[in-house]
Coordinates of all heavy atoms in Angstrom, one line a residue:
M22 N 14.7 5.6 -10.2 CA 13.4 5.4 -10.3 C 12.5 6.6 -10.2 O 12.8 7.4 -9.3 CB 12.9 4.3 -9.4 CG 11.5 3.8 -9.6 SD 11.1 2.4 -8.6 CE 10.9 3.1 -7.0
R23 N 11.5 6.8 -11.1 CA 10.7 8.0 -11.2 C 9.3 7.6 -11.0 O 8.9 6.5 -11.5 CB 10.8 8.8 -12.4 CG 12.3 9.2 -12.4 CD 12.7 10.4 -13.1 NE 11.8 11.5 -13.1 CZ 12.1 12.6 -12.4 NH1 13.1 12.7 -11.6 NH2 11.4 13.8 -12.5
I24 N 8.5 8.1 -10.2 CA 7.1 7.8 -9.8 C 6.2 9.0 -10.2 O 6.5 10.1 -9.9 CB 6.9 7.6 -8.2 CG1 7.8 6.3 -7.9 CG2 5.4 7.2 -8.0 CD1 7.8 6.0 -6.4
R25 N 5.2 8.7 -11.0 CA 4.2 9.8 -11.4 C 3.1 9.9 -10.4 O 2.1 9.0 -10.4 CB 3.7 9.5 -12.8 CG 2.8 10.5 -13.3 CD 2.3 10.2 -14.8 NE 3.4 10.2 -15.7 CZ 3.9 11.4 -16.2 NH1 3.5 12.5 -15.8 NH2 4.9 11.3 -17.0
C26 N 3.1 10.8 -9.5 CA 2.2 11.1 -8.6 C 0.9 11.6 -9.3 O 1.1 12.4 -10.3 CB 2.6 12.1 -7.4 SG 1.4 12.6 -6.4
P27 N -0.3 11.1 -9.1 CA -1.4 11.6 -9.9 C -1.8 13.0 -9.5 O -2.5 13.7 -10.3 CB -2.5 10.7 -9.3 CG -2.1 9.8 -8.2 CD -0.5 10.0 -8.1
F28 N -1.2 13.6 -8.6 CA -1.5 15.0 -8.1 C -0.4 15.9 -8.4 O -0.6 17.2 -8.7 CB -1.8 15.1 -6.7 CG -2.9 14.1 -6.2 CD1 -2.6 13.0 -5.4 CD2 -4.2 14.3 -6.6 CE1 -3.5 12.0 -5.1 CE2 -5.2 13.5 -6.2 CZ -4.9 12.3 -5.5
C29 N 0.9 15.5 -8.3 CA 1.9 16.3 -8.6 C 2.8 16.2 -9.7 O 3.7 16.9 -10.1 CB 3.0 16.2 -7.4 SG 2.2 16.4 -5.8
G30 N 2.6 15.0 -10.6 CA 3.3 14.7 -11.7 C 4.5 13.8 -11.4 O 4.7 13.3 -10.3
E31 N 5.3 13.6 -12.4 CA 6.5 12.8 -12.2 C 7.6 13.3 -11.3 O 8.0 14.5 -11.7 CB 7.2 12.3 -13.6 CG 8.1 11.3 -13.6 CD 8.5 10.9 -15.0 OE1 7.8 10.3 -15.7 OE2 9.8 11.1 -15.2
R32 N 8.0 12.5 -10.4 CA 9.0 13.0 -9.3 C 10.0 11.8 -9.1 O 9.8 10.7 -9.3 CB 8.3 13.4 -8.1 CG 7.4 14.5 -8.2 CD 7.9 15.8 -8.6 NE 6.9 16.7 -9.1 CZ 6.5 17.6 -8.2 NH1 6.9 17.8 -7.0 NH2 5.6 18.4 -8.7
S33 N 11.1 12.2 -8.5 CA 12.2 11.2 -8.1 C 11.6 10.3 -7.0 O 10.8 10.7 -6.0 CB 13.4 11.9 -7.6 OG 14.2 11.0 -6.9
H34 N 12.0 9.1 -6.9 CA 11.5 8.2 -5.8 C 11.9 8.7 -4.5 O 11.4 8.3 -3.4 CB 12.0 6.8 -6.1 CG 13.4 6.5 -5.9 ND1 14.4 6.9 -6.6 CD2 14.0 6.1 -4.7 CE1 15.5 6.6 -6.1 NE2 15.2 6.0 -4.9
A35 N 13.1 9.6 -4.5 CA 13.5 10.0 -3.0 C 12.5 10.9 -2.5 O 12.5 11.2 -1.2 CB 14.9 10.9 -3.4
E36 N 11.4 11.4 -3.2 CA 10.4 12.2 -2.5 C 9.4 11.3 -1.9 O 8.4 11.8 -1.2 CB 9.7 13.1 -3.5 CG 10.6 14.3 -4.1 CD 9.8 15.2 -5.0 OE1 8.6 15.2 -5.0 OE2 10.4 16.1 -5.7
F37 N 9.5 10.1 -2.0 CA 8.4 9.0 -1.6 C 8.9 8.1 -0.5 O 10.1 8.0 -0.4 CB 8.0 8.3 -2.7 CG 7.3 9.0 -3.9 CD1 8.0 9.7 -4.8 CD2 5.9 9.1 -4.0 CE1 7.4 10.3 -5.8 CE2 5.3 9.7 -5.0 CZ 6.1 10.5 -5.9
S38 N 8.0 7.8 0.3 CA 8.3 6.8 1.3 C 7.5 5.5 1.1 O 6.3 5.6 0.9 CB 7.9 7.4 2.8 OG 8.3 6.5 3.7
Y39 N 8.3 4.4 1.2 CA 7.8 3.0 0.8 C 7.2 2.5 2.1 O 7.8 2.5 3.2 CB 8.9 2.2 0.4 CG 8.5 0.8 0.2 CD1 7.7 0.3 -0.9 CD2 8.8 -0.2 1.1 CE1 7.4 -1.0 -1.1 CE2 8.5 -1.5 0.9 CZ 7.8 -1.9 -0.1 OH 7.5 -3.2 -0.3
L40 N 6.0 2.0 2.0 CA 5.3 1.3 3.3 C 5.3 -0.1 3.1 O 5.7 -0.8 4.1 CB 3.9 1.7 3.5 CG 3.2 1.0 4.6 CD1 3.9 1.3 6.0 CD2 1.7 1.3 4.6
G41 N 4.9 -0.7 1.9 CA 5.1 -2.0 1.8 C 4.0 -2.6 0.8 O 3.3 -1.8 0.1
D42 N 3.8 -3.9 1.0 CA 2.9 -4.6 0.0 C 1.5 -4.3 0.3 O 1.1 -4.2 1.5 CB 3.1 -6.1 0.3 CG 2.3 -7.0 -0.6 OD1 1.5 -6.5 -1.4 OD2 2.5 -8.2 -0.5
A43 N 0.8 -3.9 -0.8 CA -0.6 -3.4 -0.5 C -1.6 -4.6 -0.7 O -2.8 -4.3 -0.5 CB -1.0 -2.4 -1.6
A44 N -1.1 -5.7 -0.9 CA -2.1 -6.9 -1.0 C -2.8 -7.4 0.2 O -3.9 -7.6 0.2 CB -1.4 -8.0 -1.8
P45 N -2.0 -7.6 1.3 CA -2.6 -8.2 2.5 C -3.7 -7.3 3.1 O -3.5 -6.1 3.0 CB -1.3 -8.4 3.6 CG -0.2 -8.2 2.6 CD -0.6 -7.4 1.6
T46 N -4.8 -8.0 3.6 CA -5.8 -7.1 4.3 C -5.7 -7.6 5.8 O -5.5 -8.6 6.1 CB -7.2 -7.6 3.8 OG1 -7.4 -9.0 3.8 CG2 -7.3 -7.2 2.3
R47 N -6.0 -6.5 6.6 CA -5.9 -6.7 8.1 C -7.0 -7.7 8.5 O -8.1 -7.6 8.2 CB -6.2 -5.3 8.7 CG -6.0 -5.3 10.2 CD -6.3 -3.9 10.7 NE -6.3 -4.0 12.2 CZ -5.3 -3.2 12.8 NH1 -4.4 -2.6 12.1 NH2 -5.3 -3.3 14.2
P48 N -6.5 -8.7 9.2 CA -7.5 -9.7 9.7 C -8.3 -9.3 10.8 O -8.0 -8.4 11.6 CB -6.6 -10.9 10.2 CG -5.3 -10.2 10.6 CD -5.2 -9.0 9.7
N49 N -9.6 -9.7 11.0 CA -10.4 -9.5 12.1 C -10.2 -10.4 13.1 O -10.5 -11.6 13.1 CB -12.0 -9.6 11.6 CG -12.9 -9.2 12.7 OD1 -12.5 -8.9 13.8 ND2 -14.2 -9.2 12.5
I50 N -9.5 -9.9 14.2 CA -9.0 -10.8 15.3 C -10.0 -10.9 16.4 O -9.7 -11.5 17.6 CB -7.6 -10.6 15.7 CG1 -7.5 -9.1 16.3 CG2 -6.6 -10.7 14.6 CD1 -6.1 -8.9 17.0
G51 N -11.1 -10.3 16.3 CA -12.1 -10.5 17.4 C -12.1 -9.2 18.2 O -11.5 -8.2 17.9
T52 N -13.1 -9.3 19.2 CA -13.2 -8.2 20.1 C -12.5 -8.5 21.4 O -12.0 -9.5 21.7 CB -14.7 -7.8 20.4 OG1 -15.2 -9.0 21.1 CG2 -15.5 -7.7 19.1
R53 N -12.6 -7.4 22.4 CA -11.9 -7.6 23.7 C -12.7 -8.6 24.5 O -12.1 -9.1 25.4 CB -11.9 -6.2 24.4 CG -10.9 -5.3 23.7 CD -10.8 -4.0 24.5 NE -10.1 -3.1 23.9 CZ -9.7 -2.0 24.3 NH1 -10.1 -1.5 25.5 NH2 -8.9 -1.1 23.6
A54 N -13.9 -8.9 24.2 CA -14.7 -9.9 24.9 C -14.3 -11.3 24.6 O -14.6 -12.2 25.3 CB -16.1 -9.7 24.7
T55 N -13.6 -11.6 23.5 CA -13.2 -12.8 23.1 C -11.7 -12.9 23.1 O -11.0 -11.8 23.1 CB -13.7 -13.2 21.7 OG1 -13.1 -12.3 20.8 CG2 -15.2 -13.1 21.6
V56 N -11.2 -14.2 23.1 CA -9.7 -14.1 23.1 C -9.3 -14.3 21.6 O -9.8 -15.1 20.9 CB -9.2 -15.6 23.8 CG1 -7.8 -15.8 23.7 CG2 -9.7 -15.6 25.3
P57 N -8.6 -13.3 21.2 CA -8.3 -13.2 19.7 C -7.3 -14.2 19.3 O -6.4 -14.7 20.1 CB -7.7 -11.7 19.6 CG -7.1 -11.5 20.9 CD -7.9 -12.2 21.9
D58 N -7.3 -14.7 18.0 CA -6.4 -15.5 17.5 C -5.3 -14.6 16.9 O -5.3 -14.1 15.8 CB -7.0 -16.4 16.3 CG -6.0 -17.4 15.8 OD1 -4.9 -17.4 16.2 OD2 -6.4 -18.0 14.8
T59 N -4.2 -14.4 17.8 CA -3.1 -13.6 17.3 C -2.3 -14.2 16.2 O -1.5 -13.4 15.6 CB -2.2 -13.2 18.5 OG1 -1.7 -14.3 19.1 CG2 -3.0 -12.4 19.5
T60 N -2.2 -15.4 15.9 CA -1.5 -15.8 14.9 C -1.8 -15.2 13.6 O -1.0 -15.0 12.7 CB -1.6 -17.4 14.7 OG1 -3.0 -17.8 14.5 CG2 -1.0 -18.1 16.0
L61 N -3.2 -14.9 13.3 CA -3.7 -14.2 12.1 C -2.9 -12.9 11.9 O -2.5 -12.4 10.9 CB -5.1 -14.1 12.0 CG -5.9 -15.4 11.9 CD1 -7.3 -15.2 12.0 CD2 -5.6 -16.2 10.7
F62 N -2.9 -12.2 13.0 CA -2.3 -10.8 13.0 C -0.8 -10.9 12.9 O -0.2 -10.0 12.2 CB -2.7 -10.2 14.3 CG -2.5 -8.6 14.2 CD1 -3.4 -7.8 13.3 CD2 -1.5 -7.9 14.8 CE1 -3.2 -6.5 13.1 CE2 -1.2 -6.6 14.6 CZ -2.2 -5.8 13.9
V63 N -0.1 -11.7 13.4 CA 1.2 -12.0 13.4 C 1.7 -12.3 11.8 O 2.5 -11.8 11.3 CB 1.9 -13.1 14.3 CG1 3.3 -13.5 13.9 CG2 1.8 -12.6 15.8
D64 N 0.9 -13.2 11.3 CA 1.2 -13.5 9.8 C 0.8 -12.3 9.0 O 1.6 -12.0 8.1 CB 0.0 -14.6 9.4 CG 0.5 -16.0 10.0 OD1 1.6 -16.2 10.5 OD2 -0.2 -17.0 9.8
Y65 N -0.2 -11.5 9.4 CA -0.5 -10.3 8.6 C 0.7 -9.2 8.7 O 1.0 -8.6 7.7 CB -1.7 -9.6 9.1 CG -1.9 -8.3 8.6 CD1 -2.4 -7.9 7.3 CD2 -1.8 -7.2 9.6 CE1 -2.7 -6.7 7.0 CE2 -2.1 -5.8 9.2 CZ -2.4 -5.5 7.8 OH -2.6 -4.3 7.4
V66 N 1.3 -9.2 9.9 CA 2.4 -8.1 10.0 C 3.7 -8.7 9.4 O 4.4 -7.9 8.8 CB 2.6 -7.8 11.5 CG1 3.7 -6.8 11.7 CG2 1.3 -7.0 12.0
Y67 N 4.0 -9.8 9.8 CA 5.4 -10.4 9.5 C 5.6 -11.3 8.3 O 6.7 -11.4 7.8 CB 6.0 -11.0 10.8 CG 6.1 -10.1 11.9 CD1 5.2 -10.2 13.0 CD2 7.1 -9.1 11.9 CE1 5.4 -9.3 14.0 CE2 7.2 -8.2 13.0 CZ 6.3 -8.2 14.1 OH 6.4 -7.5 15.0
M68 N 4.6 -12.1 8.0 CA 4.8 -13.1 6.9 C 4.3 -12.5 5.6 O 3.1 -12.4 5.2 CB 4.0 -14.3 7.3 CG 4.3 -14.9 8.6 SD 6.1 -15.4 8.8 CE 6.1 -16.7 7.7
R69 N 5.3 -12.2 4.8 CA 5.0 -11.6 3.4 C 5.7 -12.5 2.4 O 6.9 -13.0 2.6 CB 5.6 -10.2 3.3 CG 4.9 -9.2 4.5 CD 3.4 -9.2 4.1 NE 2.6 -8.5 5.1 CZ 2.4 -7.1 5.1 NH1 2.7 -6.4 4.0 NH2 1.7 -6.6 6.1
D70 N 5.1 -12.5 1.2 CA 5.7 -13.3 0.0 C 6.8 -12.2 -0.5 O 6.7 -11.1 -0.3 CB 4.7 -13.4 -1.1 CG 3.6 -14.5 -0.6 OD1 4.0 -15.3 0.3 OD2 2.5 -14.4 -1.1
N71 N 7.8 -12.9 -1.0 CA 8.8 -12.0 -1.6 C 9.2 -12.7 -2.9 O 10.1 -13.3 -3.3 CB 10.2 -12.2 -0.8 CG 11.3 -11.3 -1.3 OD1 11.0 -10.3 -1.9 ND2 12.5 -11.5 -0.9
R72 N 8.1 -12.5 -3.9 CA 8.2 -13.0 -5.3 C 8.7 -11.9 -6.3 O 8.3 -10.8 -6.1 CB 6.7 -13.5 -5.6 CG 6.2 -14.5 -4.8 CD 5.0 -15.0 -5.4 NE 4.2 -15.9 -4.3 CZ 3.0 -15.9 -4.1 NH1 2.1 -15.1 -4.7 NH2 2.4 -16.6 -3.2
P73 N 9.3 -12.5 -7.3 CA 9.8 -11.4 -8.4 C 8.3 -11.1 -9.1 O 7.4 -11.9 -9.2 CB 10.7 -12.3 -9.2 CG 10.3 -13.7 -9.0 CD 9.8 -13.8 -7.7
G74 N 8.4 -10.1 -9.9 CA 7.3 -9.6 -10.8 C 6.6 -8.4 -10.3 O 7.1 -7.8 -9.4
V75 N 5.3 -8.2 -10.9 CA 4.6 -7.0 -10.4 C 4.0 -7.1 -9.0 O 3.3 -8.2 -8.7 CB 3.5 -6.7 -11.5 CG1 2.7 -5.6 -11.0 CG2 4.3 -6.5 -12.9
M76 N 4.3 -6.1 -8.2 CA 3.5 -6.0 -6.9 C 2.8 -4.7 -6.8 O 3.1 -3.8 -7.4 CB 4.5 -6.2 -5.8 CG 5.1 -7.4 -5.6 SD 6.2 -7.5 -4.1 CE 5.0 -7.1 -2.8
R77 N 1.7 -4.8 -6.0 CA 1.0 -3.5 -5.6 C 1.6 -3.0 -4.2 O 1.5 -3.8 -3.3 CB -0.5 -3.7 -5.6 CG -1.1 -4.2 -6.8 CD -2.6 -4.4 -6.8 NE -3.4 -3.1 -6.6 CZ -4.1 -3.0 -5.6 NH1 -4.4 -3.8 -4.7 NH2 -4.7 -1.8 -5.5
E78 N 2.1 -1.8 -4.2 CA 2.7 -1.3 -3.0 C 2.2 0.0 -2.6 O 1.8 0.8 -3.3 CB 4.2 -1.2 -3.3 CG 5.0 -2.4 -3.7 CD 6.4 -2.0 -4.3 OE1 6.6 -1.1 -4.9 OE2 7.2 -3.0 -4.1
Y79 N 2.3 0.2 -1.3 CA 1.9 1.5 -0.8 C 3.1 2.3 -0.8 O 4.2 2.0 -0.3 CB 1.4 1.4 0.8 CG 0.0 0.9 0.8 CD1 -0.2 -0.4 1.5 CD2 -1.1 1.5 0.3 CE1 -1.5 -0.9 1.7 CE2 -2.5 1.1 0.5 CZ -2.7 -0.2 1.1 OH -3.9 -0.6 1.2
W80 N 2.9 3.6 -1.2 CA 4.0 4.7 -1.1 C 3.3 5.9 -0.7 O 2.1 6.2 -1.0 CB 4.6 4.9 -2.6 CG 5.5 3.9 -3.0 CD1 5.1 2.5 -3.5 CD2 6.9 3.8 -3.1 NE1 6.2 1.8 -3.8 CE2 7.4 2.5 -3.6 CE3 7.9 4.7 -2.8 CZ2 8.7 2.3 -3.8 CZ3 9.2 4.4 -2.9 CH2 9.7 3.1 -3.5
Q81 N 4.0 6.8 0.0 CA 3.5 8.1 0.4 C 4.4 9.3 -0.1 O 5.6 9.1 -0.1 CB 3.5 8.2 2.0 CG 2.8 9.6 2.3 CD 2.7 9.8 3.7 OE1 3.6 9.4 4.5 NE2 1.8 10.7 4.1
H82 N 3.8 10.1 -0.8 CA 4.5 11.3 -1.3 C 4.9 12.3 -0.3 O 4.3 13.3 -0.1 CB 3.7 11.9 -2.5 CG 4.6 12.9 -3.3 ND1 4.1 13.5 -4.4 CD2 5.9 13.1 -3.4 CE1 5.1 14.3 -4.9 NE2 6.1 14.0 -4.3
V83 N 5.8 11.9 0.6 CA 6.2 12.7 1.7 C 6.9 14.1 1.3 O 6.8 15.0 2.0 CB 7.1 11.9 2.8 CG1 6.5 10.8 3.4 CG2 8.4 11.5 2.0
G84 N 7.6 14.1 0.2 CA 8.2 15.3 -0.2 C 7.3 16.2 -1.1 O 7.8 17.1 -1.8
G85 N 6.0 15.9 -1.2 CA 5.1 16.6 -2.0 C 3.7 16.8 -1.4 O 3.7 17.3 -0.3
C86 N 2.8 16.1 -1.9 CA 1.4 16.3 -1.5 C 1.0 15.5 -0.3 O 0.0 15.6 0.3 CB 0.3 16.1 -2.7 SG 0.4 14.4 -3.3
R87 N 1.9 14.6 0.1 CA 1.8 13.7 1.3 C 0.6 12.7 1.0 O 0.1 12.1 2.0 CB 1.5 14.4 2.6 CG 2.5 15.5 2.8 CD 2.6 16.0 4.2 NE 2.9 15.0 5.2 CZ 4.0 14.4 5.6 NH1 5.1 14.7 4.9 NH2 4.2 13.4 6.5
S88 N 0.2 12.4 -0.1 CA -0.9 11.5 -0.5 C -0.3 10.1 -0.4 O 0.8 9.9 -0.7 CB -1.4 11.7 -1.8 OG -2.1 12.9 -2.0
W89 N -1.1 9.2 0.0 CA -0.8 7.8 0.0 C -1.2 7.3 -1.5 O -2.2 7.5 -1.9 CB -1.6 7.0 1.1 CG -0.9 7.2 2.3 CD1 -1.3 8.1 3.3 CD2 0.2 6.5 2.9 NE1 -0.5 8.0 4.3 CE2 0.5 7.0 4.1 CE3 1.0 5.5 2.4 CZ2 1.5 6.5 4.9 CZ3 2.1 5.0 3.1 CH2 2.4 5.6 4.4
L90 N -0.2 6.4 -2.0 CA -0.5 6.0 -3.4 C -0.3 4.5 -3.4 O 0.3 3.9 -2.5 CB 0.5 6.5 -4.3 CG 0.8 8.1 -4.3 CD1 1.9 8.5 -5.2 CD2 -0.6 8.7 -4.8
I91 N -1.1 3.9 -4.4 CA -0.8 2.4 -4.6 C -0.1 2.4 -6.0 O -0.5 2.8 -6.9 CB -2.0 1.6 -4.6 CG1 -2.8 1.7 -3.3 CG2 -1.8 0.3 -5.3 CD1 -4.0 0.9 -3.3
V92 N 1.3 1.9 -5.9 CA 2.0 1.8 -7.1 C 2.2 0.3 -7.4 O 2.4 -0.5 -6.7 CB 3.5 2.3 -6.7 CG1 4.5 2.2 -7.8 CG2 3.3 3.8 -6.3
E93 N 2.0 0.1 -8.8 CA 2.1 -1.3 -9.3 C 3.5 -1.3 -10.0 O 3.7 -0.6 -10.9 CB 1.1 -1.6 -10.4 CG -0.3 -1.8 -9.7 CD -1.4 -2.0 -10.6 OE1 -1.1 -2.5 -11.9 OE2 -2.5 -2.1 -10.4
R94 N 4.3 -2.0 -9.3 CA 5.8 -2.1 -9.7 C 6.4 -3.4 -9.9 O 6.1 -4.3 -9.2 CB 6.7 -1.3 -8.7 CG 8.1 -1.1 -9.0 CD 8.8 -0.3 -8.0 NE 8.7 -0.9 -6.6 CZ 9.8 -1.6 -6.1 NH1 11.0 -1.7 -6.8 NH2 9.8 -2.1 -4.8
N95 N 7.2 -3.6 -11.0 CA 7.9 -4.9 -11.1 C 9.1 -4.9 -10.2 O 10.0 -4.0 -10.4 CB 8.3 -5.1 -12.6 CG 8.9 -6.5 -12.8 OD1 9.7 -6.8 -12.0 ND2 8.5 -7.0 -13.9
V96 N 9.1 -5.6 -9.3 CA 10.2 -5.6 -8.2 C 11.6 -6.0 -8.7 O 12.6 -5.9 -8.0 CB 9.8 -6.2 -6.9 CG1 8.6 -5.6 -6.3 CG2 9.6 -7.7 -7.1
T97 N 11.6 -6.5 -9.9 CA 12.8 -7.1 -10.5 C 13.4 -6.0 -11.3 O 14.6 -5.7 -11.2 CB 12.5 -8.3 -11.4 OG1 11.9 -9.4 -10.6 CG2 13.8 -8.9 -11.9
T98 N 12.6 -5.3 -12.2 CA 13.0 -4.3 -13.2 C 12.8 -3.0 -12.6 O 13.3 -2.0 -13.2 CB 12.3 -4.5 -14.5 OG1 11.0 -4.2 -14.3 CG2 12.6 -5.9 -15.1
H99 N 12.0 -2.7 -11.7 CA 11.6 -1.5 -11.1 C 10.7 -0.6 -12.1 O 10.5 0.5 -11.9 CB 12.7 -0.5 -10.7 CG 13.5 -1.2 -9.5 ND1 13.1 -1.5 -8.4 CD2 14.8 -1.7 -9.6 CE1 14.0 -2.1 -7.7 NE2 15.1 -2.3 -8.4
A100 N 10.2 -1.3 -13.1 CA 9.3 -0.7 -14.0 C 7.9 -0.5 -13.4 O 7.3 -1.4 -12.9 CB 9.1 -1.5 -15.3
I101 N 7.4 0.8 -13.4 CA 6.1 1.1 -12.9 C 5.0 1.1 -13.9 O 5.1 1.7 -14.9 CB 6.2 2.4 -12.1 CG1 7.2 2.4 -10.9 CG2 4.8 2.8 -11.7 CD1 7.5 3.7 -10.3
S102 N 4.0 0.3 -13.7 CA 2.9 0.2 -14.6 C 1.7 1.0 -14.4 O 0.9 1.3 -15.1 CB 2.5 -1.4 -14.9 OG 2.1 -1.9 -13.6
N103 N 1.5 1.3 -13.0 CA 0.3 2.2 -12.7 C 0.6 2.8 -11.3 O 1.2 2.2 -10.5 CB -0.9 1.3 -12.7 CG -2.2 2.1 -12.5 OD1 -2.3 3.2 -13.2 ND2 -3.1 1.8 -11.5
V104 N 0.1 4.1 -11.2 CA 0.0 4.7 -9.9 C -1.3 5.3 -9.7 O -1.9 5.9 -10.5 CB 1.1 5.8 -9.8 CG1 1.0 6.6 -8.5 CG2 2.6 5.4 -10.2
A105 N -2.0 5.0 -8.5 CA -3.3 5.5 -8.2 C -3.3 6.0 -6.8 O -2.5 5.5 -6.0 CB -4.2 4.4 -8.4
S106 N -4.2 6.9 -6.5 CA -4.5 7.3 -5.2 C -5.0 6.2 -4.2 O -6.1 5.6 -4.7 CB -5.5 8.5 -5.2 OG -6.0 8.8 -3.9
A107 N -4.5 5.9 -3.1 CA -4.9 4.8 -2.2 C -6.3 5.2 -1.7 O -7.3 4.4 -1.6 CB -3.9 4.6 -1.1
R108 N -6.5 6.5 -1.4 CA -7.8 6.9 -0.7 C -8.9 6.7 -1.9 O -9.9 6.2 -1.4 CB -7.6 8.4 -0.5 CG -8.9 9.0 0.1 CD -8.7 10.5 0.5 NE -9.7 11.0 1.3 CZ -10.9 11.4 0.7 NH1 -11.0 11.5 -0.6 NH2 -11.9 11.9 1.5
E109 N -8.6 7.0 -3.1 CA -9.8 6.9 -4.1 C -10.0 5.5 -4.3 O -11.3 5.1 -4.6 CB -9.3 7.6 -5.4 CG -9.3 9.1 -5.2 CD -8.8 9.9 -6.6 OE1 -8.7 9.2 -7.6 OE2 -8.6 11.0 -6.5
Q110 N -9.1 4.6 -4.2 CA -9.4 3.2 -4.4 C -10.1 2.6 -3.3 O -10.9 1.8 -3.5 CB -8.0 2.4 -4.7 CG -7.3 2.7 -6.0 CD -6.5 1.6 -6.4 OE1 -6.2 0.6 -5.8 NE2 -5.9 1.8 -7.6
V111 N -9.7 3.1 -2.1 CA -10.6 2.5 -0.9 C -12.0 3.1 -1.0 O -12.9 2.2 -0.6 CB -9.9 3.0 0.4 CG1 -10.7 2.7 1.6 CG2 -8.5 2.2 0.6
L112 N -12.1 4.4 -1.4 CA -13.6 4.9 -1.4 C -14.3 4.2 -2.5 O -15.5 3.8 -2.2 CB -13.4 6.4 -1.7 CG -12.9 7.3 -0.5 CD1 -12.8 8.6 -1.0 CD2 -13.8 7.2 0.8
A113 N -13.7 3.8 -3.6 CA -14.4 3.2 -4.7 C -14.8 1.6 -4.2 O -15.8 1.3 -4.5 CB -13.5 3.1 -5.9
A114 N -13.9 1.1 -3.5 CA -14.1 -0.2 -3.0 C -15.2 -0.4 -1.9 O -16.0 -1.4 -1.9 CB -12.8 -1.0 -2.5
T115 N -15.3 0.7 -1.2 CA -16.3 0.8 0.0 C -17.5 1.5 -0.3 O -18.3 1.7 0.6 CB -15.7 1.2 1.2 OG1 -15.2 2.5 1.1 CG2 -14.5 0.4 1.7
E116 N -17.6 1.9 -1.6 CA -18.9 2.7 -1.9 C -20.1 2.0 -1.6 O -20.3 0.8 -1.9 CB -18.7 3.2 -3.4 CG -19.9 4.1 -3.9 CD -19.6 4.5 -5.3 OE1 -18.5 4.1 -5.8 OE2 -20.5 5.1 -5.8
G117 N -21.1 2.6 -0.9 CA -22.3 2.0 -0.7 C -22.3 1.2 0.7 O -23.4 0.9 1.3
E118 N -21.1 1.1 1.4 CA -21.1 0.4 2.6 C -21.4 1.4 3.8 O -21.9 0.9 4.8 CB -19.6 -0.1 3.0 CG -19.3 -1.3 2.1 CD -18.0 -1.9 2.3 OE1 -17.4 -1.5 3.4 OE2 -17.4 -2.6 1.5
H119 N -21.1 2.6 3.6 CA -21.6 3.6 4.7 C -22.7 4.5 4.2 O -22.8 5.0 3.1 CB -20.4 4.5 5.0 CG -19.1 3.7 5.4 ND1 -19.0 3.0 6.5 CD2 -17.9 3.4 4.5 CE1 -17.8 2.3 6.5 NE2 -17.3 2.5 5.4
P120 N -23.6 4.8 5.2 CA -24.8 5.7 4.9 C -24.4 7.1 4.6 O -23.4 7.6 5.0 CB -25.6 5.6 6.1 CG -24.8 5.0 7.3 CD -23.6 4.3 6.6
Ligands
ZN230 ZN1 2.1 14.2 -4.8

């Protein structure tokens, strides 16, 4: 499998490290002043869907520029349909939230 890093170009997947599914969002489990509902966090960490088809996944280019990427990959065929910088996607999604 080959992954096209937006900064380094197409490289072997051996240069990348897989983190996991990019879809789940970290739950807000409260502050130290309150008793947190840890079941939400346990579900976030351990309970993942394992469906065939296209998934958005976090990968890091550890053998290159070390950037975190979001790779859209069909987990059945390993066909990659899109690769984007995770940092740029987060900045675009949170634009205007910080002064
Ligand atoms: Zn790279």
Side-chain angles (χ1 to χ4, degrees):
M22 186 170 75
R23 303 211 31 105
I24 298 174
R25 182 175 298 280
C26 174
F28 308 105
C29 306
E31 188 174 293
R32 303 295 169 93
S33 167
H34 76 283
E36 292 187 12
F37 296 81
S38 179
Y39 172 81
L40 175 66
D42 188 355
T46 55
R47 186 183 177 110
N49 182 0
I50 60 170
T52 64
R53 291 182 184 190
T55 62
V56 178
D58 181 2
T59 56
T60 58
L61 293 174
F62 198 73
V63 169
D64 286 350
Y65 166 72
V66 172
Y67 296 109
M68 303 303 290
R69 299 296 170 97
D70 293 332
N71 189 20
R72 297 185 192 143
V75 177
M76 286 187 64
R77 296 178 75 234
E78 303 170 322
Y79 285 117
W80 288 75
Q81 185 183 24
H82 194 184
V83 293
C86 63
R87 304 197 61 80
S88 292
W89 282 98
L90 307 173
I91 294 178
V92 176
E93 292 179 13
R94 179 176 69 97
N95 185 314
V96 296
T97 306
T98 64
H99 301 295
I101 294 173
S102 54
N103 191 43
V104 180
S106 164
R108 181 178 189 273
E109 290 176 10
Q110 288 204 359
V111 168
L112 289 175
T115 60
E116 189 174 346
E118 289 183 10
H119 304 287

